[in-house]
Amino acid sequence: MRIALIVLAVVAAVVAARADELVYEGDVRQGLFGTCLANEKDGWAVGELGRIFHTTDGGGTWYRQNAGTKRALLAVACVDANTAWIAGKEGIVYGTADAGKTWTQANTGSSRHVFTLAFSTRDRGHAAGDFGTMVHTEDGGKSWTVQQVPPDVTLPESALDTGVDPGDVNLYALSYGDPDHVWVVGEFGTILASTDGGRTWRQQHVPVESTLFGVHFADANHGWAVGIDAVILHTTDGGATWRAQPPPITQRSFYDVFVAGQQGWIVGDSGTMLKSEDGGESWAVQPLPIELAAHWIRSVWLTPATHGLAVGSEGLAFRIDGSNLRRIEGAERKS
């Protein structure tokens, strides 16, 4: 069952990439699990079969890149227009410093699946995944430290029937509020917080026991976490207290959340997209065509100017401009 959730949630050598391949309508059929923008124009999306797609115009056109793996890529972190990191199944982590022309495989010391990856600076980065595994770098990925869930973390009674120990809890998403403040979320409503950039962690308590798949902090105080059972959590004090926000739609799983300024988006299963126009204080359903109801949408990202991307199953992708949403298809899908 935990493996099924992993699939739904998504789920040292220098490898020279082939020349960037043009991407045309219909070429992207694999599920996309992660996306990010380094600025208003430069970004990446990653997914099944080691797929990597790069854009230099904010998602209008895409180039396919290659890191030399067919394993699913589940997470991507943009540092700047040239620097990005990708991660995925069996602990693979790759970085690029030349906008994806080449990808360098990192030896993190862990072979556990990596579900989430983020860098707060060029040097400081953190990743997390299954069985409570976390890896941390303070030197731009040259070396990594393997970490585990702190021993004093507790799980709710609902976890007892599963036989999951606190140290084995799956961790699905992380977010930096600033270089020193970072949060990781996962199974059974688990939220871990760090005030030293990811070196040490403590548990924060929330009013739910549902698995959390997404988290985003706009700064060191204001954050959101989302998950199954249509859970939306919000904090204004750095996670000292979390309150549940009423969802505009129930019986859905929410997979990711992002708030920038007054604009915010939540994505999930069954073609679910929610938007906020009051800085994440309230949420409304964004109607999508009925034919997208069978799709899941796994990842969403916004720039400070509230331009953004959202990606999901079978190559589904959207461009975001403030409160406006437009599907990427047809001529826009080619490079």
Side-chain angles (χ1 to χ4, degrees), residues 81-228:
N82 292 312
T83 310
W85 292 86
I86 55 177
K89 298 290 289 295
E90 300 175 15
I92 56 172
V93 174
Y94 295 84
T96 182
D98 56 11
K101 294 181 177 64
T102 59
W103 291 90
T104 303
Q105 186 169 4
N107 180 10
T108 67
S110 172
S111 60
R112 295 294 188 184
H113 301 326
V114 175
F115 300 139
T116 181
L117 173 72
F119 274 72
S120 62
T121 67
R122 181 180 295 274
D123 292 328
R124 174 174 288 172
H126 199 83
D130 65 347
F131 290 93
T133 298
M134 295 185 283
V135 294
H136 185 80
T137 182
E138 290 283 341
D139 57 10
K142 296 182 179 66
S143 62
W144 297 79
T145 300
V146 177
Q147 300 174 333
Q148 293 292 331
V149 170
D152 58 350
V153 167
T154 60
L155 297 181
E157 291 186 4
S158 60
L160 297 179
D161 294 337
T162 68
V164 177
D165 294 325
D168 292 336
V169 65
N170 285 336
L171 302 172
Y172 289 118
L174 70 90
S175 176
Y176 280 94
D178 62 29
D180 291 325
H181 294 83
V182 57
W183 289 260
V184 176
V185 304
E187 286 182 301
F188 308 109
T190 300
I191 298 183
L192 306 177
S194 173
T195 58
D196 56 11
R199 294 183 178 92
T200 61
W201 298 87
R202 57 183 175 80
Q203 186 175 17
Q204 294 183 335
H205 294 282
V206 298
V208 301
E209 298 179 2
S210 302
T211 291
L212 301 172
F213 285 133
V215 63
H216 174 71
F217 271 75
D219 54 40
N221 291 312
H222 298 84
W224 294 260
V226 298
I228 63 174

Side-chain angles (χ1 to χ4, degrees), residues 21 23 44-45 53-55 59 61-64 309 328 334-335:
E21 299 177 6
V23 180
W44 281 266
F53 301 101
H54 182 223
T55 181
T61 54
W62 294 86
Y63 294 89
R64 180 177 167 185
L309 300 169
I328 300 172
K334 65 183 180 181
S335 304

Side-chain angles (χ1 to χ4, degrees), residues 260-304:
Q262 292 301 300
Q263 302 297 326
W265 291 87
I266 291 172
V267 299
D269 67 354
S270 302
T272 299
M273 294 195 77
L274 312 180
K275 71 176 178 180
S276 173
E277 297 184 281
D278 57 9
E281 290 298 322
S282 63
W283 300 89
V285 174
Q286 171 68 42
L288 295 182
I290 189 64
E291 62 265 23
L292 299 183
H295 288 262
W296 44 261
I297 306 167
R298 182 60 184 90
S299 178
V300 61
W301 186 274
L302 296 176
T303 70

